[in-house]
Amino acid sequence: MSDPNSPKEDIALPDAPATPQEFQDADFDSASDSDSPAGKIDVKTEPQTDPPEPASPAKIEIKKEEGGDLDNIFKDEEEEDFFGDDDDADFLASEVGAVSIAPGSGPSDPQVILTFYQRLFPFRPLFQWLNHSPIPCHDFGHREFAFTLQNSAYLRYQSFPTMELLRKEILRLNPSRFEIGPIYSANPRDRKTLHKSAFHPLSKELVFDIDLTDYDEIRTCCDKANICNLCWNFITVAIKVMNAALRDDLGFKHVLWVYSGRRGAHAWICDKRARSLDDAKRRAIVNYLGLVKGGGQAGKKVNIWRPLHPHISRSLNLLKDRFENDILREQDPWRDNERAEKLLQLLPDKTLNDALRKKWDNHPSRPSLNKWADVYDVAKTGVSEGLNPARLKESREEVVLEYMYPRLDAEVSKHLNHLLKSPFCVHPQTGRVCVPIDERDLGAFDPMAAPTVLGLLGEIDAWDKAHKREEKVDDYEKTSLKPYVDYFKTFVNGLLRDEAGVKREREGNSGNSMEF
Amino acid sequence: MYRQEPAKRVRAIDSKKHWAGVDFKQLFYPHRLNFYNTPPTTEITLDEFEQWAIDRLRILGEIESCLYRNMTAAELQDVIIKKLQKDLLPLGANSAAGGGSKFQDSKIAKQQDERRKDHYSHYTLRLAFARSEDLRKRFLATETILFKLRYNSDDTQERQAFIESLGFDWEFLSVEEKVAMREDLLAGTGTKSNEADAVFEAGFFRVDWEKVYDLVDQRKVLLRGGKAYVPESQQSSLVIAEFTARLEKALEACLLPPQVFSSRRRNRSLTISTQLTARALPRLDEDDRLIPILNHLSRGFIAPEYNTSMTATTLNGASLTAAVIDDLVQYFPMCMRQLHTTLRREKHLLHNGRLQYNLFLKGIGLSVDEALIFWRKSFSRIDDDEFQKKYRYNVRHGYGLEGTRRNYKPMSCQQILTDRRPAANQVHGCPYREVAIDNLVVGLGTMGVSDRDVIRHVREDIEAKKYHVACSRVFEHTHAKELKREKEAGGWSGGLTENIIHPNEYFTRSFGLKNPGSVEATNAIAPPASGGSGQSMEMD
């Protein structure tokens, strides 16, 4: 059995309850006038009912949906900054005034999240990222979104023809988080009316999930959901190893790493080639990259073939440099003699182990750094005749890999139709925004300093106080979210450039064939 | 053989415009292997249509059940090729026929007949199995394996000739490139130094890695910039990948609108043309001769599955309650014991563990109400509210009462072994595979297995990756007395007739043996691959 879409944690997912069909058939521009059923949060995002305001960006938005494709291409750039547009201003003036949030409200306060979506969430880049083109197409329209509502109900198979409709629905439902799924062969909202064979996932970014809970048995600083800068080093080095393999080996270019909001990181590989991989090929990549195998009682978890595959030896080189500092000094995993048994378990020779055990019993609490050196030193003294030095070297390599090689949550990556939390969502427990990690400067990313939703809203207030109101500045630019949004935009632009290249080539070809 | 006279054939072409241009001549098969790119166009009798397909089906069925039993490639080769060569679908090599004298001519004719049977039976089964996603997948998987087995057993020269006839464009590395990358090329294939020169001399070619994803999967090939550098010796994996890809495409194309299929009643012969196979199916509806055959064929392709409805019986006459589970643990296979003990110790199980255990309990006959009581009580550290919120749905989902309302079957060994390998803090999966051997021995001790010989054998089984054999061995050991008694009573033979391939089977057998006369549920394994009743495939 198994529903491949279940998130790793403790819920199996229901099918989405039948969803409101509001957007499905109606004309998009007229729908917005009438689709305010009772109980809906009254968000005035599209003031079509207002008297015309010729210069309003919102109006451009409407035109865009009515107008021809040509208009869109040219207007697209002006609309980049729709966050500061009058819709939001209207709404905010009536609802919150300033951003100030009632004292005592936490990051999961629905009002806080709603304000975040209204003022800070980068819908436009997110749309472009998923749509692969400035003009709305099936890549976006047939894409599954899934919402986790504030009452923890889970809505699957949501889809939206345009960014504006997605944004409106998010503001209406105010989900505590939402996830992104695959592009289907048909509109996910129509799935019940379609034959099974006509509705299947076509493509999705290749995704990876690295979670620090998988490191619990080797990290000494924290456990469970807690993290600190010491254990974040595991993630940093994992990203380095993964990047090397994804780019140099598999030939992918557009790799986006995103902080998962609490204790891990997600990778989105967005190249067209990666998006169109089927399950078998995704599984092949997972197995190519996966090294640490086995469950809680598996004992030695890294067993590899020699000669080392070039991917492994390169990874080992990346890890070796950090091993002394990150593991031996900072984690110090074998200081306790009981825990040092774990190290001995990984070494090949019984006699050597006995000698080491004896030595360490005489020096309780000997630091891991010394114990690691002992392995080599004691072996050199020749206590064990049968010891094969090459085998010992291999074991030492395997220890490094076991302690530092990326531990992937394989299920997330294997299936085309697995859902993964969207970048820039707010983690409900920590209140931290799932921001992209700038891979050019991995060491600089500090998860403990990642922007929190309350902090960001405070920054808007502070900025507004310090500046005159007339100035037109996007809300996100007033906050520490700016560098992350900018990084994301740069990433998306790079992706779009490549996609456009592919498209032009295709059109160019067909153009030639049309000439008589 | 009833072949049609040329005159009639011409009329047939006139009557069906879409047949225009199709060449009705008998195909000549130069190679033993076939990619099945060209559909058959000549006519065969209804009997041939059916019999050939049944023969092929038996082979595919055998392949599937071998996989089910976790057989290694070598064993599979042995079983299938022997069987193939014996009677069902013999395929002779060219070298066996030679050329020239009259005697050899008859051999060539025989060889062509064999190859025609192979060709037609493949297309008939395509028709039969194109009808549902699940059948298509299984057809694809087993046909690929059949092709692989034949490929591996083919004469090297003939195989090379076959590959050349396919016309792939593979980019061979120049000598300079090869020399410059020597170390990486060899390390990428995992070649030990004593074989390095031979592998290196044979040469490498460069392809997109997607074409050899099975090599990538095993990390047996060098990757650079999205290209895989494949040694000559691994050509097979490329050819096989290509075979799968083409067949898959052809099967998928089947879903498109109807195209060509014609059959005529006159003199009971028919023409199959299924370039795009099941496009043909809707047109077949009018044919009262083929549809029943095809239906029957697709039903014949049924893997043994555990039949839950039969075990929802009662043990000792009373229905199962949450309270008796602890007493039943003694009959559980190790995987379920492991989950149960963890559940008792931690008062919690992670998602995949719950999934596996919940369905198992469902399989032994625990009702959904009792299951909810069982899980509620087991999770003693959380309050009612949390249970309702986080777990109730989960349990009911397993019983097909939520979401898609699928009636999930208890997981088979195959699924448990392969579906989701446990991560560091999880205890689901097959302990024989996932648990380090030393810990496993401790676990066996708690099951009352301490016999040195048995443990040694279990170790060997595990090293050979025959986890289900290890499990069956433990079963035989722990039930030695009962099995012996049963043998004396004239029931089952002394051991298990077959290896355990389902945890619920383990339970049912164990319970039946330890409580003789109490259960009728011991026959709860659905009869394998027979003409098929309700437990067959989901045919949508």
Side-chain angles (χ1 to χ4, degrees), chain A residues 1-15 151-152 195-197 213-214 216-217 247-252 273 277-278 280-281 283-285 287-291 293-301 304-312 314 407 411 414-415, chain B residues 133 136 184 186-192 208-211 213-214 216-217 219-227 248 255 338 348-351 354-355 359 389-391 393-394 397 403-404 406 408-409 411 415 418-427 434-436 439 538 540:
Chain A
M1 59 161 291
S2 90
D3 176 354
N5 301 319
S6 323
K8 185 184 171 202
E9 266 305 288
D10 280 340
I11 24 168
L13 305 178
D15 262 357
N151 61 6
S152 56
H195 189 265
K196 253 192 199 166
S197 59
T213 41
D214 289 327
D216 274 357
E217 48 168 3
R247 290 169 192 275
D248 301 347
D249 294 0
L250 293 159
F252 298 134
R273 191 174 172 188
L277 295 171
D278 61 21
K281 300 197 179 81
R283 203 173 308 122
I285 293 186
N287 290 338
Y288 180 79
L289 296 173
L291 207 60
K293 300 224 164 86
Q297 305 175 60
K300 192 159 179 283
K301 295 200 174 92
I304 38 176
W305 180 263
R306 314 284 158 161
L308 287 180
H309 188 279
H311 160 61
I312 309 284
R314 177 195 47 213
R407 298 182 169 211
E411 291 308 319
K414 279 181 186 170
H415 300 289
Chain B
E133 174 81 29
R136 272 198 302 276
D184 282 347
L186 289 173
T189 55
T191 316
K192 298 276 187 202
D208 284 344
W209 71 262
E210 286 93 339
K211 293 229 163 175
Y213 69 87
D214 56 328
V216 175
D217 190 294
R219 216 183 291 121
K220 279 276 175 66
V221 67
L222 173 70
L223 295 183
R224 281 287 175 271
K227 297 280 183 190
E248 188 173 16
L255 301 171
Q338 183 177 257
H348 190 257
L349 267 187
L350 289 169
H351 178 75
R354 293 201 303 274
L355 207 67
L359 290 178
K389 226 164 140 184
K390 283 167 90 174
Y391 305 107
Y393 179 91
N394 220 207
H397 188 256
T404 49
R406 258 182 70 188
Y408 295 107
K409 296 194 176 68
M411 292 170 138
Q415 283 173 300
T418 53
D419 260 15
R420 295 172 177 223
R421 306 282 304 273
N425 44 0
Q426 298 175 313
V427 292
E434 311 295 352
V435 176
N439 296 336
E538 278 173 30
D540 45 327

Side-chain angles (χ1 to χ4, degrees), chain A residues 74-111:
Chain A
F74 296 116
K75 284 188 176 132
D76 194 57
E77 274 172 23
E78 302 164 29
E79 285 167 33
E80 272 294 68
D81 48 356
F82 80 98
F83 288 108
D85 69 18
D86 294 351
D87 302 348
D88 291 344
D90 278 2
F91 171 73
L92 289 163
S94 59
E95 283 275 330
V96 237
V99 198
S100 49
I101 299 299
S105 58
S108 56
D109 185 320
Q111 193 56 52

Side-chain angles (χ1 to χ4, degrees), chain B residues 449-505:
Chain B
V449 182
S450 48
D451 187 295
R452 271 246 195 81
D453 268 356
V454 175
I455 289 178
R456 187 170 50 81
H457 279 123
V458 167
R459 272 175 197 269
E460 286 167 10
D461 292 337
I462 290 171
E463 267 163 34
K465 305 202 165 167
K466 294 185 176 174
Y467 309 110
H468 60 302
V469 178
C471 186
S472 307
R473 197 180 294 284
V474 169
F475 183 93
E476 281 179 11
H477 180 73
T478 49
H479 299 78
K481 252 197 313 190
E482 292 80 4
L483 285 165
K484 195 167 159 232
R485 190 184 59 218
E486 202 178 65
K487 186 186 180 188
E488 281 159 7
W492 271 285
S493 55
L496 285 168
T497 44
E498 277 178 347
N499 287 321
I500 300 275
I501 54 166
H502 202 296
N504 287 73
E505 179 193 3

Side-chain angles (χ1 to χ4, degrees), chain B residues 93-360:
Chain B
N94 291 344
S95 54
S101 76
K102 272 188 180 170
F103 176 63
Q104 280 160 332
D105 279 349
S106 76
K107 266 195 171 171
I108 287 175
K110 181 170 163 256
Q111 193 185 63
Q112 288 297 316
D113 283 345
E114 288 170 1
R115 290 175 187 180
R116 189 163 52 247
K117 177 177 174 185
D118 176 53
H119 185 205
Y120 281 69
S121 61
H122 171 88
Y123 270 92
T124 312
L125 291 192
R126 263 197 204 183
L127 279 178
F129 291 137
R131 47 192 52 199
S132 87
E133 174 81 29
D134 182 56
L135 285 170
R136 272 198 302 276
K137 263 191 195 153
R138 291 167 53 197
F139 180 66
L140 185 67
T142 45
E143 276 285 341
T144 304
I145 288 169
L146 180 62
F147 180 82
K148 195 168 169 180
L149 293 173
R150 287 172 166 175
Y151 182 93
N152 290 337
S153 66
D154 206 9
D155 176 273
T156 326
Q157 278 186 349
E158 283 174 36
R159 182 162 68 196
Q160 211 50 46
F162 171 71
I163 292 170
E164 275 158 26
S165 77
L166 295 172
F168 297 133
D169 55 342
W170 291 331
E171 194 186 345
F172 276 84
L173 290 197
S174 69
V175 178
E176 295 83 58
E177 279 177 299
K178 212 169 73 161
V179 171
M181 298 176 74
R182 181 181 165 112
E183 288 308 307
D184 282 347
L185 285 172
L186 289 173
T189 55
T191 316
K192 298 276 187 202
S193 52
N194 52 350
E195 296 158 3
D197 286 337
V199 173
F200 187 67
E201 281 313 308
F204 287 83
F205 47 92
R206 181 171 30 209
V207 289
D208 284 344
W209 71 262
E210 286 93 339
K211 293 229 163 175
V212 285
Y213 69 87
D214 56 328
L215 293 179
V216 175
D217 190 294
Q218 302 161 45
R219 216 183 291 121
K220 279 276 175 66
V221 67
L222 173 70
L223 295 183
R224 281 287 175 271
K227 297 280 183 190
Y229 290 77
V230 188
E232 182 84 39
S233 56
Q234 294 288 358
Q235 218 175 18
S236 65
S237 94
L238 271 170
V239 177
I240 289 157
E242 188 67 27
F243 176 86
T244 315
R246 289 192 191 182
L247 180 54
E248 188 173 16
K249 215 169 167 190
L251 285 168
E252 264 167 24
C254 298
L255 301 171
L256 301 169
Q259 194 209 16
V260 251
F261 192 106
S262 106
S263 86
R264 270 158 298 136
R265 280 147 205 269
R266 247 172 303 155
N267 73 2
R268 290 178 60 77
S269 73
L270 42 106
T271 307
I272 316 168
S273 171
T274 49
Q275 178 70 56
L276 300 167
T277 319
R279 288 184 175 191
L281 283 177
R283 295 207 67 163
L284 269 175
D285 285 343
E286 57 196 70
D287 196 306
D288 54 352
R289 297 168 305 153
L290 298 187
I291 289 290
I293 295 179
L294 293 174
N295 281 336
H296 184 75
L297 285 173
S298 63
R299 268 207 306 272
F301 197 39
I302 295 166
E305 276 197 57
Y306 196 75
N307 188 337
T308 44
S309 63
M310 298 190 68
T311 38
T313 53
T314 53
L315 300 167
N316 289 329
S319 61
L320 271 183
T321 62
V324 302
I325 299 294
D326 282 301
D327 298 330
L328 292 177
V329 172
Q330 53 174 314
Y331 310 113
F332 287 6
M334 195 165 199
C335 47
M336 301 302 166
R337 278 175 193 241
Q338 183 177 257
L339 288 167
H340 189 82
T341 26
T342 309
L343 176 61
R344 287 287 176 252
R345 189 178 62 237
E346 309 277 332
K347 321 278 183 224
H348 190 257
L349 267 187
L350 289 169
H351 178 75
N352 289 322
R354 293 201 303 274
L355 207 67
Q356 182 175 332
Y357 196 38
N358 187 38
L359 290 178
F360 171 79

